[in-house]
Amino acid sequence: MTDEVLVLDVRFAVHQLRSTDLIPAEVFRTPYYWIGRTAGFLSLICDESLSLPAADTSTGWLCLNIRTGDPVLPEVAQNLRNSGIGFVPLPSGAGAYGLIPEHQMAETRTQLEAAGYRVQDEAETGSA
């Protein structure tokens, strides 16, 4: 099996809300989202086309789905970070996911391909 990385066909935003805010219902209607809550903040990672009442928002993130039979997320994360790429691992029960800044996609693709991964865009494959 060739290790693959699928670049999801969605641009993501990282939203920071107050920890007491409710999660907007439209978040749950998107195909991908991640939620984290601490005592001080509610963090939402979701499709950047959603307009959320966030205190702070960072846009322009792409999501990688790392498809391999082995648990390689730490290895991939370390490789990309050592190359100066701002990789953010995302928790998932099925497969490995991580965010990268959109402006670093070309360099990310080069690094992953040099490490032996086949990098594909979801729009070209029609699958996730």
Side-chain angles (χ1 to χ4, degrees), residues 10-23:
V10 177
R11 288 182 60 201
F12 287 84
V14 179
H15 302 279
Q16 194 171 64
L17 293 82
R18 294 183 313 260
S19 65
T20 55
D21 288 343
L22 296 177
I23 299 166

Side-chain angles (χ1 to χ4, degrees), residues 29-52:
R29 291 189 284 274
T30 63
Y32 302 98
Y33 59 85
W34 286 265
I35 299 170
R37 188 184 304 265
T38 65
F41 297 100
L42 169 64
S43 297
L44 301 175
I45 299 170
C46 59
D47 190 316
E48 81 172 18
S49 68
L50 296 180
S51 178
L52 303 181

